[in-house]
Amino acid sequence: MSQIFGQNRHATTDTGFDVELRDVFKFYGSEAAVRGVDLSIRQGEFFSILGPSGCGKTTTLRMIAGFESPSAGQVLIQGVSMNQVPPYRRPVNTVFQSYALFNHLTVAENVAFGLRLKHRQNREIEERVGDALKLVKMEKFTNRLPGQLSGGQQQRVALARALVNRPAVLLLDEPLGALDLKLRKEMQVELATLHRELGLTFVMVTHDQEEALSLSDRIGVMNQGQLEQVDTPNHIYEQPRTSFVADFIGDTNLFHAKVEGYHPNMLWVTTERGLKMTAKPSESGAALTSGQVVVSVRPEKIRVSLIPPSDTQVNWYEGRLRNVMYLGTHVHYQVELQSGDRLTVMQPNTVTDSPGLDTPMYVQWAYSDCLALPREEP
């Protein structure tokens, strides 16, 4: 099956990249939706563009698809500029959150629609539609109408319709956003399997951090029309380059602080409420030796205990338990420190009883889990 869908390379300039954006801007009137985006997506990569609503991620995907034209800059697919190429002539297909199926056509007719527009022979259409439906495990539903299918089944049909045209790049616009949580998890596995089997380049837009982290080879985090960081999921999470990325990806505790001293790979800082911490500079803040910083500590890196820690080399503070949230596999504690700061702490659910509210307790974390980032100007 991977030979059918994955090796249909178009005539290209072989750069090793299937999608390139070079200093791309998009203006709506005087408003910049995308500002100076430079991005190269490798052949066969699963790349996700992640960010909050209104950050420019969907506009970026629509420029790759050809539904929007860049105000400035170049969009290239397989080394060829697409700026003057209409959507239907680009070697891409898009899967939408809304599925966009024709309700009066059967599953097979929906999948065959693009091939019929290209005036393919009936025998070829029948073979390719059969292969595409088999790939998404929908071959038993060929004669059903979309209204007779579940949301997950409709999404599989939408995938088959996109894949049957043998695109070089599959674009996914919030593809699982309309599904309930359980089905969404199942479809994430399906997408990962499809990508692995086909070897196609997938470019997905999502606001779901967990989805991007679990599926992607690399992630581009967008904020206010710009890419804040492009990196692997592990590096995005463990080594964010900005306080926005640290705050947006997963949960974190952020402190505004001032650098009081430094040593190679170590900073001594004091927060606005007077907490003294030892922190590790992030890669983007490696040269920090003074001034204002933002310190990030992930909730799962923090340990709690009812007695003071014996290791005086860690950051540790006394506080009181103010709130407990039971989440099944994990428990979230909110601890108010003596300084007045409140911390979120995430612990595995390994105990049957949580401490009562207002219980005195101690929190601690290693300096290497305390990341100092440059303070961004408001």
Side-chain angles (χ1 to χ4, degrees), residues 53-73:
S53 297
C55 71
K57 59 186 185 295
T58 297
T59 301
T60 300
L61 194 79
R62 288 176 62 82
M63 286 191 285
I64 298 171
F67 302 137
E68 300 279 359
S69 298
S71 304

Side-chain angles (χ1 to χ4, degrees), residues 6-12 17-18 43-44 78 167-169 199-201:
Q7 296 182 1
N8 186 35
R9 309 300 296 178
H10 296 251
T12 66
F17 299 112
D18 265 349
Q43 291 176 1
Q78 297 185 323
V169 180
L200 285 179
T201 301

Side-chain angles (χ1 to χ4, degrees), residues 250-300:
D251 296 320
T252 196
N253 298 285
L254 293 178
F255 302 90
H256 288 86
K258 180 181 179 182
V259 177
E260 304 287 0
Y262 68 95
H263 188 268
N265 209 34
M266 189 179 290
L267 295 174
W268 289 273
V269 304
T270 302
T271 71
E272 291 177 338
R273 290 180 178 267
L275 289 179
K276 295 187 180 299
M277 298 184 190
T278 307
K280 175 183 176 181
S282 70
E283 291 182 357
S284 59
L288 288 172
T289 57
S290 63
Q292 303 294 318
V293 294
V294 175
V295 176
S296 168
V297 186
R298 296 287 187 190
E300 72 276 11

Side-chain angles (χ1 to χ4, degrees), residues 212-214 216-219 229-241 245 249 283 298 300-301 371:
L213 289 169
S214 62
S216 311
D217 296 313
R218 285 191 305 151
I219 298 170
Q229 186 171 350
V230 177
D231 222 321
T232 63
N234 177 270
H235 216 218
I236 288 272
Y237 187 83
E238 298 290 349
Q239 286 291 331
R241 297 186 63 84
V245 174
I249 303 294
E283 291 182 357
R298 296 287 187 190
E300 72 276 11
K301 307 289 189 183
L371 203 62

Side-chain angles (χ1 to χ4, degrees), residues 186-262:
E186 291 174 6
M187 285 301 295
Q188 286 175 8
V189 175
E190 297 274 353
L191 270 182
T193 302
L194 268 178
H195 177 254
R196 192 165 55 248
E197 289 179 354
L198 298 178
L200 285 179
T201 301
F202 281 24
V203 183
M204 180 175 73
V205 155
T206 182
H207 65 271
D208 188 308
Q209 305 150 33
E210 183 181 323
E211 192 167 274
L213 289 169
S214 62
L215 291 175
S216 311
D217 296 313
R218 285 191 305 151
I219 298 170
V221 182
M222 285 197 82
N223 181 32
Q224 297 181 345
Q226 296 179 304
L227 282 170
E228 294 247 338
Q229 186 171 350
V230 177
D231 222 321
T232 63
N234 177 270
H235 216 218
I236 288 272
Y237 187 83
E238 298 290 349
Q239 286 291 331
R241 297 186 63 84
T242 68
S243 58
F244 172 82
V245 174
D247 194 29
F248 186 75
I249 303 294
D251 296 320
T252 196
N253 298 285
L254 293 178
F255 302 90
H256 288 86
K258 180 181 179 182
V259 177
E260 304 287 0
Y262 68 95

